Structures are given as structure tokens and as C-alpha cells.
Amino acid sequence: QLSDQQKMSESPLSRFGGVYLPPALHPLNKTLVKGGKWKDADSAQEKRRSFLHDFCKKYNSRKKLRTHLVHLVSRIYVEDRHKVLYCEVPKAGCSNWKRVLMVLNGLATSAHNISHDDVHYGKHLRKLDSYDLKGIYTRLNTYTKTIFVRDPMERLVSAFRDKFEHPNSYYHPVFGKAIIKKYRHNANEEALKTGSGVKFKEFIQYLLDSHRPVGMDIHWEQVSKLCFPCLINYDFIGKFETLEEDANYFLQLVGAPAELKFPKFKDRHSSDERTSAEVVRQYLKELSKEQRQLTYDFYYLDYLMFNYTSP
């Protein structure tokens, strides 16, 4: 029996009409996988694929969906040599994934010597929305499509720590100033001027506000709205919690060079403790029970689609 909140969270998908879903679940092409060491990764993969497919079937039963194709694919990176499409989910290993795509594409010899700025600000990789419609359809139908996801609360806390607890020349003045101005009563001049020092509770007030003073951002946008997993039939669903094994198994599937392994290093703030379930618990303590529930409701679809346990 769905609560009102859960019914509301149905709207992102139910607003569209046009194509019938879900598309058929195609078997993964495993002809390039060598050796028996990938048995566990493969079995986890098949479970995730069929779980998401069944979820979408149930969720979208007989619903027609319509949204602009170019918008649907705007977060998908293309690697033409190995025929890979990767939908970027920030805070779920995306920097290292982009490094790997650059190596696959012949733009770099190793993932280890590509800087953070080069990954995010160098225009090295093409996105799917930069092709014409025929190019988009051909790639969607013939390339191996992957998405890597993460426990929603962990991803949220990781994004907050990264963007608001370290100096940042974009997030502090753009988001920080607006958040402090609206949600901090008696804010001092310094905080209003710099936008630094946003508290987690204030950030959550902004996230849950239907009249946000500044728009959403990809670092905390729901995966259901970034990658549209019920509209685009992803062949491979990786999880941050098993990132290395999943990523290296995927590289086998697409016939990557044997020496290319998914990098282990933390992209930025490498001395910080990684955002774990325990770290998340500390942050959630700052919220009221109602705020915690509403934050869960906000990510409700992501929890459901990818079979994450509610916190």
C-alpha cells in the first residue's frame, strides 16, 4: 500500500508518454570473458539486471512514456572503439570511469596520469547527445550500456562533504550563499558573502524545499532522473560497493586491453576518510526524524530500482 509520498515519487516516470516499456532484456555478450574468476561478478550482474527489468515492468505496466530523446541521453558518455556507453552518476566512481574511457579511446596511455581537471574540464569524451538521431539510436541499440550506482544516502553525504566541506570556487558562491541566506537565521556577513560553512542540516532543507533558492545539481540529483534506467535498457549495472570487481569484469566483457585495470585511487581529498555507512550515520544524526524520512522518500525510486536496503 503506497503512502502519498511514494505515490508522489512515481511522477518522474509517469509524466511521460510515448514509448512502451520496458524494452526486452538482452543477454550479455560474454564471449570475450576469459577464465572462471568472474563467476560471482557475473551472477551478481544477472541478478541486478533481472531485478531492474522486473521493477520497470511492474512500475511502468502499460504506461506510455515520452520524453525528449536528447535529454534522456545527455549524461551518457560514448567510447566508440569498444562500443561502450557509460551513464555518469557523480560520486559513484565517475572520475575514474572517465579516465578509463579516455584510455579505451586511445586518448591516454594510462588512467593514472590523467588529472582531475583534465577528466572533468577537458572536452576529450563525447556525449551521446552530440550525435544526430540516427547516431544516437544506432549506439543505443548496438553498444554495451553501463551505469554505476551507489547507496543513495552515501552518495548524498559524499557529495555534501566534497562540495561544502572543502574550498570550492563554484559550490560555495552559487549554492552556499543561496542556502545560507534562505535557511540560516541570523547568518553573519562573512557567511552571506562567501557561502562557506553550509551545515548538513541546511543543505537538506534546500534539497527538500520545493521552492529551492537555486536549482538541482547532478551530484545529488536522483539516478532515476540522471540516467533514466527504466527508459534506457542498461546492459550492465555496477555498484560502488563492489566497484573494482564490477568495473574489471565489465572491462573483460567489452574486450579492453588486458593490462587496463580500474584505478583504485580516490580522486580528490585523498586524506579524508571515505564516506561509509558509519560516516553517513553521523551526518544523519544532525537531522530530525522527519527530515531523515523525507530524504529517504526523495531517493525512494533509487532505493527501489537498485535494490538498496533502506537505512
Side-chain angles (χ1 to χ4, degrees):
Q1 304 221 327
L2 291 176
S3 68
D4 289 344
Q5 185 68 36
Q6 288 164 351
K7 281 180 192 144
M8 272 168 55
S9 69
E10 282 197 11
S11 62
L13 291 177
S14 51
R15 277 200 302 272
F16 307 121
V19 286
Y20 282 109
L21 289 166
L25 187 62
H26 300 297
L28 262 177
N29 178 358
K30 300 171 190 173
T31 50
L32 299 171
V33 177
K34 295 174 180 67
K37 68 179 262 196
W38 302 107
K39 224 167 66 179
D40 291 350
D42 179 60
S43 134
Q45 198 45 235
E46 292 304 341
K47 283 189 187 123
R48 288 174 201 163
R49 280 159 45 85
S50 60
F51 184 91
L52 178 62
H53 186 259
D54 292 347
F55 167 79
C56 294
K57 198 158 63 180
K58 196 163 76 183
Y59 187 83
N60 293 318
S61 57
R62 296 179 307 285
K63 279 183 191 158
K64 282 182 102 189
L65 302 173
R66 178 179 55 238
T67 188
H68 200 288
L69 181 69
V70 174
H71 173 63
L72 274 188
V73 302
S74 63
R75 304 241 50 90
I76 295 182
Y77 283 89
V78 179
E79 199 285 284
D80 280 318
R81 282 186 176 186
H82 297 78
K83 301 194 167 169
V84 170
L85 297 181
Y86 162 71
C87 188
E88 175 188 27
V89 175
K91 311 312 298 172
C94 75
S95 300
N96 279 339
W97 257 119
K98 286 195 240 178
R99 288 185 171 94
V100 166
L101 292 177
M102 285 169 71
V103 174
L104 286 174
N105 219 346
L107 297 165
T109 50
S110 158
H112 291 270
N113 47 23
I114 308 169
S115 73
H116 177 87
D117 284 359
D118 226 14
V119 165
H120 290 286
Y121 309 114
K123 302 277 181 245
H124 304 295
L125 296 165
R126 275 187 82 171
K127 285 190 177 162
L128 194 48
D129 62 356
S130 70
Y131 294 83
D132 62 15
L133 281 180
K134 183 171 181 279
I136 293 175
Y137 274 115
T138 304
R139 285 169 179 80
L140 278 176
N141 289 323
T142 57
Y143 284 21
T144 308
K145 301 175 289 297
T146 185
I147 179 175
F148 272 69
V149 298
R150 184 177 187 176
D151 174 275
M153 289 291 190
E154 258 184 48
R155 187 176 154 244
L156 176 68
V157 171
S158 175
F160 172 78
R161 294 174 75 202
D162 181 27
K163 303 305 175 197
F164 296 102
E165 292 186 350
H166 295 275
N168 192 298
S169 59
Y170 172 71
Y171 285 90
H172 293 200
V174 174
F175 287 87
K177 275 158 90 165
I179 288 171
I180 289 169
K181 188 177 174 191
K182 181 159 186 183
Y183 307 107
R184 188 180 298 178
H185 311 301
N186 68 23
N188 64 36
E189 246 176 88
E190 178 69 7
L192 289 167
K193 198 172 82 190
T194 64
S196 297
V198 168
K199 295 181 172 66
F200 186 61
K201 195 176 179 117
E202 295 166 335
F203 173 63
I204 295 300
Q205 283 177 280
Y206 143 80
L207 184 80
L208 300 174
D209 188 348
S210 55
H211 303 287
R212 289 185 197 104
V214 58
M216 272 303 276
D217 181 84
I218 61 167
H219 290 84
W220 44 87
E221 180 68 278
Q222 300 104 317
V223 178
S224 54
K225 289 185 183 175
L226 287 173
C227 294
F228 301 97
C230 278
L231 296 178
I232 292 168
N233 202 9
Y234 290 98
D235 302 292
F236 191 96
I237 300 146
K239 290 198 166 179
F240 186 79
E241 294 73 15
T242 48
L243 178 60
E244 266 175 70
E245 186 177 22
D246 290 349
N248 288 324
Y249 177 47
F250 180 79
L251 290 173
Q252 283 269 313
L253 284 168
V254 298
E259 66 278 6
L260 178 60
K261 299 282 180 281
F262 193 79
K264 294 180 183 185
F265 60 83
K266 193 172 188 283
D267 193 48
R268 289 201 302 174
H269 317 309
S270 51
S271 58
D272 287 8
E273 184 188 352
R274 272 197 190 270
T275 304
S276 61
E278 186 44 51
V279 169
V280 170
R281 205 168 290 124
Q282 297 309 317
Y283 280 82
L284 294 182
K285 278 182 184 169
E286 297 172 31
L287 308 180
S288 68
K289 198 174 173 191
E290 185 192 21
Q291 282 176 318
R292 288 199 292 265
Q293 180 63 47
L294 288 170
T295 307
Y296 168 71
D297 293 342
F298 185 82
Y299 291 106
Y300 180 66
L301 265 186
D302 288 359
Y303 273 100
L304 284 188
M305 282 180 168
F306 301 109
N307 201 15
Y308 278 111
T309 318
S310 55

